[in-house]
Amino acid sequence: MSGPLGVLLINLGTPDAPTSAAVRRYLREFLGDPRVIDLPALPRTLLLEAAILPTRPRASAAAYAKVWTDAGSPLLVHGQALASALQDELGEAAVVRLGMRYGQPSLARALRSLEEHGVRRVVALPLFPQYSSAATGSALDALFAEPAAGRLTQLEVVPPFFADPGFIDAWAAVSRPALDGFGPDFVLLSYHGLPERQIRAGDVSGAHCLELDDCCEPLRGAGQHCYRAQCFATSRAIVAALGLETERTRTSFQSRLGRTPWIQPYTDFVLPELAEQGVRRLAVLCPAFVADCLETVEEIGMRAQEQWAEVGGEELLLVPSLNAHPRWVEAVAALVRQSMATDASTRSAAATPDASASATPTPAT
């Protein structure tokens, strides 16, 4: 196929500035998404306009101001650095662009740029290791709805990579020196949370997710596509790769919004429990995020650190995310090449008489 390969890295997004006005625009787009706040249109609009937007933008803007850099939002800065490093890794045969589900650079802008470079075939990589309807599903909905996507000859999606060896190896490469230098007596792996109703909605059996005591361990049955179960699978793989004692590690979930039950255990509840158990030096990894952002730098690196001191802990270390670490760049390149090889194999099988061809799988949305 003629023309360069397009690689589209997709992340959630960020406000344009750490101001109330910019954050309000961002939150209206983000929280107005029916996959994020999965309520009927009228209750969702009332909740957003009457309860969230009148107060939350100011508080969120203050939090963003704490992590904002001279170059801009950490999520955007690290995303651009990853795209640039991946471009160098893949060379002239590919054109790499970053697109955000919400905010800028938008998916439409990224696709237009790829189109202007003569790209007709795109490999899209949602930078969400574990699948969720609110993140991965929403991003793919938006991607396939873009007119430019319909003009492509081929659009492939890299599936969730929560247990991909390169992804796990990258986390080990980033974490090992940080842990060796800090010497923690406990390691917490904290993931972004989701409402329990979204987890249950993804279980077509209705008898597995959050119904069985061990529904997330091991990854099996209806739980194979469950966000919570995939988080626990990531934790097990990282703990094994780092050679940590499992009894000195735990998985938890952060970033709750509203009063409805979210998946547990909650990170801010786990911290005092660990302090009561005698943990003093705590290291925290956030493997749901491939780039440092508000949820890692401010929520864990600042607020959780303050809470840890208040409950009697001595020191809390936020282990940096993957960002543009060379091992992560290699892993992303491998995911792209694997997608290319899978598709080439599919086309070859389809062209062979009596061969059984199958389409490249796309995550369910």
Side-chain angles (χ1 to χ4, degrees), residues 82 125-131 158-175 189-191 227 230-239 241-242 285-291 320-323 325-335 338:
L82 175 63
L125 173 55
L127 291 171
F128 314 115
Q130 302 83 19
Y131 177 85
V158 177
F161 49 88
F162 61 93
D164 174 74
F167 169 68
I168 301 301
D169 181 61
W171 264 109
V174 169
S175 303
L189 298 99
S190 180
Y191 297 78
Y227 173 81
Q230 291 180 0
C231 289
F232 277 100
T234 298
S235 288
R236 290 192 295 271
I238 291 176
V239 167
L242 289 169
L285 283 65
C286 298
F289 307 94
V290 299
S321 193
L322 302 180
N323 298 322
H325 189 281
R327 198 67 62 84
W328 175 227
V329 174
E330 294 173 3
V332 173
L335 287 170
Q338 182 179 341

Side-chain angles (χ1 to χ4, degrees), residues 10 57 69 71 75 110-111 130 146 194 198 217 245 251 268-269 278 283 307 311 319 324 328 341 347-348:
I10 305 174
T69 70
L75 183 69
L111 285 170
Q130 302 83 19
E146 286 295 335
L194 286 177
Q198 294 188 12
E217 299 185 35
E245 299 177 12
T251 293
D268 57 335
F269 284 22
Q307 183 190 5
V311 299
V319 175
W328 175 227
R347 292 199 308 271
S348 176

Side-chain angles (χ1 to χ4, degrees), residues 24-41 44-45 47-49 52-53 101-102 138 257:
R24 183 175 291 104
R25 288 194 301 272
Y26 173 73
L27 290 180
R28 178 171 278 116
E29 182 183 9
F30 173 36
L31 299 179
D33 186 340
R35 280 189 180 264
V36 175
I37 297 183
D38 53 336
L39 297 173
R44 182 175 66 252
T45 300
L47 176 64
L48 183 61
E49 299 295 337
I52 297 176
L53 291 181
R101 171 61 183 90
Y102 315 102
S138 177
L257 175 66

Side-chain angles (χ1 to χ4, degrees), residues 6-146:
V7 178
L8 177 60
L9 303 178
I10 305 174
N11 215 327
L12 193 71
T14 179
D16 295 325
T19 64
S20 294
V23 172
R24 183 175 291 104
R25 288 194 301 272
Y26 173 73
L27 290 180
R28 178 171 278 116
E29 182 183 9
F30 173 36
L31 299 179
D33 186 340
R35 280 189 180 264
V36 175
I37 297 183
D38 53 336
L39 297 173
L42 181 57
R44 182 175 66 252
T45 300
L46 289 174
L47 176 64
L48 183 61
E49 299 295 337
I52 297 176
L53 291 181
T55 59
R56 191 174 180 88
R58 179 178 296 181
S60 293
Y64 273 108
K66 294 178 182 178
V67 304
W68 214 263
T69 70
D70 291 341
S73 165
L75 183 69
L76 178 58
V77 171
H78 292 306
Q80 291 171 331
L82 175 63
S84 178
L86 182 63
Q87 182 68 75
D88 291 342
E89 178 74 17
L90 295 176
E92 296 180 357
V95 178
V96 181
R97 290 294 181 267
L98 172 69
M100 298 295 192
R101 171 61 183 90
Y102 315 102
Q104 298 297 327
S106 66
L107 293 176
R109 176 178 162 185
L111 285 170
R112 283 198 303 269
S113 178
L114 291 174
E115 196 171 28
E116 290 167 359
H117 282 77
V119 167
R120 300 297 297 153
R121 176 188 173 204
V122 170
V123 173
L125 173 55
L127 291 171
F128 314 115
Q130 302 83 19
Y131 177 85
S132 72
S133 172
T136 320
S138 177
L140 295 181
D141 275 355
L143 174 62
F144 290 122
E146 286 295 335

Side-chain angles (χ1 to χ4, degrees), residues 304-327:
Q305 192 173 74
E306 292 174 1
Q307 183 190 5
W308 184 241
E310 291 170 357
V311 299
E314 291 180 3
E315 194 169 355
L316 182 150
L317 171 72
L318 169 65
V319 175
S321 193
L322 302 180
N323 298 322
H325 189 281
R327 198 67 62 84

